[in-house]
Each structure stands twice: as structure tokens, then as C-alpha cells.
């Protein structure tokens, strides 16, 4: 998986910054069900979190929209997100059937 993550970072000119597998992401129930399109954004890591928020469908500000999940559980519960998990803070991705977009968003690190 590291090779795929490194390839994604190289393709988009991003620094390779893998996430500790014991750290957590915030993930929506819709993403866990495998719904598309799949979105992800990364804030700076803190307190045992990767900074990643992963969701499908519309974003929600509901405090229960995201639930914590260890990175090592992504392979089973949301494998489509794994290739992007080594993108550094300040990056986003969007994946849909036959479509992939990855871009830098400095607003994510200038909070």
C-alpha cells in the first residue's frame, strides 16, 4: 500500500506523509457503506488523530456525522481511501466511478 500512496503523492507533487496506523480518521457512515463519491480532507494531525476527515455525499456539521476509526481499519471498511492517506495536511481528494481528483487547499492548514 505504501507504494500506491507514494505514487499518488508523486503524481500530484505532494510530500509523502504516511499516517500512523494506530491514529484515527473521522469517517462518515456513508463512507463506511462504500457510497460514492468519496471525499477526504486533511487538517494537521493532533492528539492521536491523522487530521483526515472522510465522507460520502454531502458534508454535515452534525457533531455525530463523523465517527473515529483507526487507520488500520480502513482496509476493511473503506479501502478506496487508503491510496490517499499519505497526502500531507492541506490536501483533499475526490473519488467517484472512473474519476479521481486530488488538490492542495491551504485553507485546511491556515485555520
Amino acid at each position: 500500500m505504501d507504494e500506491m500512496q507514494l505514487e499518488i503523492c508523486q503524481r500530484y507533487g505532494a510530500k509523502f506523509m504516511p499516517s500512523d496506523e494506530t491514529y484515527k480518521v473521522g469517517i462518515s457512515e456513508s463512507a463506511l457503506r462504500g457510497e460514492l463519491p468519496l471525499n477526504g480532507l486533511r487538517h494537521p494531525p493532533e492528539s492521536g488523530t491523522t487530521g483526515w476527515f472522510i465522507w460520502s455525499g454531502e458534508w454535515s456539521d452534525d457533531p455525530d456525522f463523523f465517527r473515529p476509526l483507526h487507520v488500520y481499519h480502513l482496509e476493511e471498511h473503506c479501502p478506496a481511501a487508503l491510496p490517499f492517506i499519505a497526502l500531507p495536511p492541506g490536501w483533499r481528494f475526490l473519488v467517484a466511478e472512473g474519476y479521481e481528483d486530488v488538490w492542495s487547499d491551504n485553507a485546511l492548514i491556515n485555520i
Side-chain angles (χ1 to χ4, degrees):
M1 184 53 63
D2 283 349
E3 285 182 29
M4 186 182 300
Q5 293 172 348
L6 180 59
E7 191 273 326
I8 289 285
C9 290
Q10 289 174 338
R11 184 181 334 153
Y12 293 101
K15 180 181 175 184
F16 180 68
M17 190 175 165
S19 296
D20 185 307
E21 289 191 340
T22 64
Y23 280 26
K24 296 175 186 166
V25 302
I27 192 164
S28 71
E29 290 293 329
S30 56
L32 291 170
R33 290 190 299 269
E35 294 178 16
L36 295 177
L38 183 67
N39 297 274
L41 62 80
R42 190 172 191 186
H43 292 289
E46 64 177 69
S47 305
T49 69
T50 62
W52 277 108
F53 289 90
I54 302 165
W55 73 100
S56 295
E58 295 297 317
W59 174 278
S60 173
D61 288 327
D62 182 329
D64 295 324
F65 184 66
F66 292 103
R67 60 177 272 201
L69 184 76
H70 289 105
V71 170
Y72 62 83
H73 288 300
L74 285 174
E75 186 170 358
E76 178 183 349
H77 297 289
C78 190
L82 276 176
F84 306 97
I85 293 299
L87 289 165
W91 285 78
R92 294 176 173 260
F93 69 85
L94 170 64
V95 178
E97 190 70 35
Y99 180 81
E100 172 185 292
D101 194 8
V102 175
W103 68 99
S104 176
D105 181 351
N106 287 332
L108 297 172
I109 53 178
N110 296 324
I111 300 173

